[in-house]
Amino acid sequence: MIPKNIEKQLNILDYALSSLWRRRLKSLSVLLVFAAVIFLLASFQMVTQALTAKAKQLLVHTPEITLQQMSAGRQEAIALTYSHQLAEIFGIRKVVPRIWGYYFDEVRLANYTIIGMDLSEIPGNALLDTTLLSGTMPEKAEQGKVVVGQSITKSLELGGRLTFSLFRPDLSLKSFEISGEFAPDTDILSHDLIVMNLADARDLFSIPTGLATDLCVYVTNPQEIETIAKKISAALPGVRVLTRPQIQKTYQVVFGWRSGFGSICLLAALAAFAILAWDKASGLSPEEKREIAILKVLGWETGDILAVRFWESVSVSGLACLVGITAAYIHVVYFAASLFRPVLMGWSVLRPELQLLPRLAAGDILLILAFTVIPYLAATVIPAWRNATVPADAALGG
Amino acid sequence: MVTIQPFSIPDELAGYLYVTFFLANIPLGGILARIFFLVPKKTMGTLVMIECRELSKSYLIEKKSVFAVNNINLSINKGEFVVILGHSGSGKTTLLSLIGGLTSPDRGQVLVAGEENWQLSDNALSTMRNSRIGFIFQFASLIPTLTVMENILLPLTFSRNPAGSREMARDILSEVGLADRENAFPSQLSGGQQRRVAIARSFINRPDIILADEPTGDLDEETERDILELFRQYNANGTTFVVVTHNSNLAATQKNARVFSMRQGVLSAHTI
Ligand SMILES: Nc1ncnc2c1ncn2[C@@H]1O[C@H](COP(=O)(O)OP(=O)(O)O)[C@@H](O)[C@H]1O
Ligand SMILES: [Mg+2]
């Protein structure tokens, strides 16, 4: 036997659902608007979360200070001999040269990012191995070993093979063997990436000995980054000194602008939603008022009438949440947030074809609920409450 | 709390209770009755179904306070058939609202089955309405988006026996002559048919009291006769009726009716 209270609530739920069904056109339009707002909110939240996570990932592996040779406002190869001058600056732990560039594969019309660096030189390099799905990072002494991103094996159409070749500038072929693969969750970094040791990159791009693309400087005490950067600037005029906090700030500025723009869009959506809710709140139609009065006269308790409203609103908003969040997930994962492309353009320029791995924490869902479902519930239940608590003589008429 | 349901009083007890009741209505009678007959207070007045004491209600009309109901004293026993005649605006609807606990009085009290309406909590008042009172409104009171059957079952939404209540609803529908229209919507019915659905709805929870506001308003003569006959049957089975109308024929056809007339909120015994 079902307890009496639960049976009563089931009866009320039944009444609420059939009353929604009776007004199916109206219910459906409310549901759609509601779902659209939640879709926007959830999409935005997922993209924001995904980008924040990615940006953080990106920055963890950024050297504390990067040095680039500038000439006429453009970047040029940098002389390795600078390391001697740097060695005199107190607090520098290690200077590691890096060669990187883009390789355009004319056969497959694909762009690869190549990074050549002797990773074993990097302090705390053990961390880098955690970014691998399988295999090991290329060793300094081993020739032709590379670690590649997820899209590379596909793009090179290797099948089961582990070897491939790339052209040097003089069109001679250099062959490589894949010794490892990056994990999918590092995709924003490693998507189109081929990592090799410094000597192989020098060979592939034909960069003369004694030069590199940039120098990565690692410091003993991260608190000293700014001071050391200043000292480097003084010691090496004509060299651009980029610190990790600077890069971080650049990202934040770009990112802040983007979320600011997104917030404005969201505010607009919320405003539209608030108008809808308000319309419903203030405009309890004469029929609705009459229905409440009739139910009251027939002996329904105020609580029963409110419970009907409550279940109606919970059903509508619950369904809207489900539809909206699911649609947002599909939009972000399978359509790469294509509706937000114009806003996100900068990010895709930063990293071509970035694949977003949306995250939606319980906290985010609560946030979305707080912004949508709760106002909606309030907007629907409160006016019913106001109507249900006044004496119901209006329905009798005079 | 001891209550003796009016239906369950054995005949031997009835006479005894009449005495008690008589005593209860003279000064100190209540105390005497309690001392000598040891009757719990609750049971006293169960035979008085409705009691209005110095009941007043006024409305502001064009900034002037106008009495819709003016100092009405009225006592209606269980099983009585009361007709209140009055022109439009004389306060009939207001009086019914007060009795049903839909409107709060400015002054005075309404007791239904011994309990004062406005001493009850909002929920207890709802329960009282749901279990004791069947309302027949002056104007259309059906929910337009519900079918005839759904409208009739509204007072029973929370009862335990939906299957049985459907059967009951069908019986009552055929009593009001609408057996074949249970799935129609109110908009598909004539005014008189809608009125009959409302009448059927007022009977569904087997109320002790029917409060009817111009119940024969939209009915043709033949249907009016049928409905009044139905009222008589329910009345014969113990249901108390308070019918307000401007139609003096109605008073004439109800033989045992106690007839009042109402004028500008004041109630008086009807004289032809
Ligand atoms: N809710 C109300 N607000 C203001 N005046 C009302 C209200 N209800 C009734 N009245 C006034 O009270 C008087 C009696 O009305 P009513 O009880 O409807 O009379 P009847 O039912 O006999 O036609 C009328 O003058 C009417 O205008
Ligand atoms: Mg009236």
Side-chain angles (χ1 to χ4, degrees):
Chain A
M1 189 105 187
I2 313 166
K4 200 169 175 186
N5 260 332
I6 294 178
E7 184 180 322
K8 185 168 172 180
Q9 289 303 317
L10 285 178
N11 280 333
I12 292 177
L13 182 61
D14 184 50
Y15 185 86
L17 290 179
S18 61
S19 116
L20 280 178
W21 177 245
R22 285 187 269 129
R23 292 176 277 121
R24 47 189 166 273
L25 219 68
K26 194 178 171 192
S27 310
L28 196 69
S29 50
V30 171
L31 183 78
L32 285 182
V33 174
F34 205 149
V37 170
I38 288 174
F39 165 78
L40 282 179
L41 259 170
S43 293
F44 185 76
Q45 189 67 14
M46 285 185 205
V47 170
T48 308
Q49 290 294 323
L51 286 177
T52 315
K54 294 279 179 186
K56 269 191 192 141
Q57 247 173 29
L58 196 75
L59 293 172
V60 165
H61 299 290
T62 308
E64 283 140 357
I65 299 172
T66 310
L67 303 183
Q68 298 177 336
Q69 180 68 57
M70 301 304 287
S71 171
R74 284 175 39 230
Q75 197 196 340
E76 281 200 340
I78 194 167
L80 298 188
T81 48
Y82 282 146
S83 354
H84 303 308
Q85 278 155 277
L86 293 173
E88 288 165 19
I89 296 173
F90 187 74
I92 292 181
R93 191 173 173 190
K94 194 94 189 180
V95 179
V96 185
R98 183 167 72 174
I99 290 176
W100 59 267
Y102 302 111
Y103 181 96
F104 184 64
D105 185 337
E106 290 180 34
V107 184
R108 288 135 196 143
L109 295 175
N111 224 335
Y112 310 137
T113 303
I114 310 258
I115 293 182
M117 201 173 179
D118 293 325
L119 301 171
S120 53
E121 308 270 310
I122 300 176
N125 60 358
L127 256 179
L128 287 171
D129 286 335
T130 61
T131 59
L132 292 186
L133 180 67
S134 62
T136 52
M137 289 291 187
E139 294 291 332
K140 186 176 180 178
E142 276 181 314
Q143 260 210 356
K145 291 281 165 63
V146 293
V147 168
V148 296
Q150 294 274 313
S151 79
I152 301 289
T153 36
K154 262 177 248 141
S155 162
L156 287 170
E157 293 157 357
L158 291 179
R161 284 179 300 124
L162 289 175
T163 54
F164 63 97
S165 300
L166 300 176
F167 290 100
R168 296 188 186 94
D170 64 1
L171 299 184
S172 60
L173 278 169
K174 178 173 173 60
S175 57
F176 291 99
E177 188 190 342
I178 295 175
S179 70
E181 201 182 349
F182 283 108
D185 70 349
T186 65
D187 221 35
I188 191 171
L189 253 177
S190 66
H191 185 65
D192 60 351
L193 191 62
I194 301 176
V195 173
M196 55 190 70
N197 68 26
L198 190 69
D200 281 328
R202 189 182 297 290
D203 183 17
L204 179 68
F205 288 133
S206 296
I207 290 180
T209 348
L211 290 180
T213 314
D214 46 29
L215 296 176
C216 302
V217 178
Y218 296 90
V219 302
T220 325
N221 179 1
Q223 312 260 284
E224 298 280 311
I225 290 178
E226 292 304 327
T227 348
I228 294 170
K230 264 185 210 137
K231 283 185 193 164
I232 297 174
S233 290
L236 305 175
V239 169
R240 179 156 71 182
V241 183
L242 295 169
T243 63
R244 179 144 78 188
Q246 263 173 352
I247 294 173
Q248 238 157 3
K249 215 177 266 169
T250 312
Y251 272 96
Q252 270 163 5
V253 167
V254 176
F255 194 69
W257 179 82
R258 279 172 211 295
S259 46
F261 180 78
S263 305
I264 289 169
C265 299
L266 274 186
L267 269 181
L270 275 181
F273 177 71
I275 290 168
L276 173 98
W278 176 247
D279 181 53
K280 206 165 160 51
S282 52
L284 203 59
S285 69
E287 292 85 55
E288 286 172 309
K289 282 183 189 163
R290 218 169 66 92
E291 180 168 336
I292 288 175
I294 292 171
L295 293 178
K296 206 116 207 236
V297 171
L298 296 179
W300 284 42
E301 289 173 13
T302 306
D304 303 336
I305 296 169
L306 294 189
V308 167
R309 281 277 150 167
F310 177 78
W311 286 120
E312 274 180 27
S313 300
V314 164
S315 316
V316 167
S317 51
L319 198 59
C321 267
L322 209 67
V323 171
I325 290 176
T326 312
Y329 193 86
I330 293 170
H331 169 228
V332 173
V333 181
Y334 297 100
F335 295 94
S338 52
L339 283 181
F340 290 172
R341 272 287 154 191
V343 189
L344 295 173
M345 210 50 202
W347 293 96
S348 57
V349 168
L350 272 176
R351 286 283 158 188
E353 276 189 53
L354 72 95
Q355 166 94 45
L356 295 171
L357 289 173
R359 304 159 172 229
L360 200 62
D364 297 331
I365 292 179
L366 282 182
L367 192 79
I368 291 171
L369 290 184
F371 271 101
T372 54
V373 173
I374 292 170
Y376 183 75
L377 278 183
T380 50
V381 174
I382 288 173
W385 170 73
R386 273 194 312 212
N387 265 277
T389 43
V390 299
D393 54 341
L396 267 175
Chain B
M1 195 171 88
V2 184
T3 42
I4 295 174
Q5 285 298 310
F7 292 112
S8 63
I9 301 170
D11 283 341
E12 312 81 83
L13 244 177
Y16 161 75
L17 281 177
Y18 267 117
V19 179
T20 319
F21 172 62
F22 174 75
L23 285 174
N25 280 284
I26 58 171
L28 287 179
I31 296 166
L32 290 177
R34 293 200 64 191
I35 292 171
F36 293 109
F37 299 93
L38 298 174
V39 174
K41 196 176 174 209
K42 274 278 169 197
T43 59
M44 291 196 300
T46 35
L47 290 173
V48 179
M49 209 64 212
I50 299 166
E51 185 162 12
C52 304
R53 294 180 185 156
E54 298 177 353
L55 192 62
S56 292
K57 175 81 186 178
S58 54
Y59 288 111
L60 271 183
I61 297 169
E62 286 162 7
K63 292 182 186 167
K64 277 199 304 194
S65 174
V66 173
F67 277 108
V69 163
N70 192 353
N71 196 28
I72 286 184
N73 285 290
L74 175 65
S75 179
I76 299 172
N77 288 343
K78 180 186 146 33
E80 267 197 292
F81 198 113
V82 170
V83 177
I84 298 174
L85 288 173
H87 295 299
S88 173
S90 56
K92 306 183 296 295
T93 300
T94 307
L95 179 59
L96 283 193
S97 301
L98 287 166
I99 293 173
L102 300 175
T103 307
S104 61
D106 294 341
R107 233 164 51 79
Q109 291 140 17
V110 176
L111 287 83
V112 174
E115 294 202 89
E116 191 186 337
N117 278 354
W118 292 94
Q119 298 292 343
L120 297 175
S121 69
D122 185 53
N123 282 349
L125 196 57
S126 290
T127 309
M128 185 280 283
R129 274 201 291 271
N130 190 257
S131 61
R132 290 205 184 273
I133 298 182
F135 273 100
I136 301 168
F137 296 81
Q138 180 169 12
F139 296 107
S141 63
L142 304 180
I143 293 178
T145 47
L146 293 178
T147 64
V148 165
M149 178 56 87
E150 289 163 341
N151 262 292
I152 292 179
L153 290 178
L154 272 181
L156 296 182
T157 303
F158 307 123
S159 87
R160 285 182 154 264
N161 187 0
S165 41
R166 250 165 207 281
E167 280 314 304
M168 210 156 87
R170 287 206 183 92
D171 290 346
I172 298 175
L173 259 183
S174 61
E175 283 174 355
V176 298
L178 290 172
D180 51 341
R181 305 308 303 270
E182 65 173 83
N183 293 316
F185 285 94
S187 57
Q188 299 165 323
L189 303 177
S190 73
Q193 287 171 322
Q194 290 184 31
R195 175 59 53 96
R196 282 185 276 158
V197 174
I199 291 171
R201 183 178 63 191
S202 73
F203 287 141
I204 189 75
N205 51 351
R206 304 221 167 284
D208 302 327
I209 304 165
I210 294 281
L211 301 178
D213 197 351
E214 309 276 9
T216 58
D218 308 316
L219 303 181
D220 57 82
E221 272 177 42
E222 193 186 329
T223 320
E224 180 178 325
R225 258 201 310 281
D226 292 347
I227 292 297
L228 290 178
E229 176 53 34
L230 193 63
F231 281 11
R232 268 193 291 275
Q233 280 169 27
Y234 274 86
N235 184 230
N237 288 330
T239 308
T240 308
F241 276 78
V242 182
V243 179
V244 306
T245 180
H246 65 273
N247 175 1
S248 41
N249 281 341
L250 196 149
T253 51
Q254 298 299 96
K255 292 286 178 323
N256 331 329
R258 213 167 126 210
V259 185
F260 294 90
S261 43
M262 195 154 178
R263 184 168 256 195
Q264 289 174 352
V266 179
L267 195 71
S268 55
H270 184 67
T271 47
I272 309 159

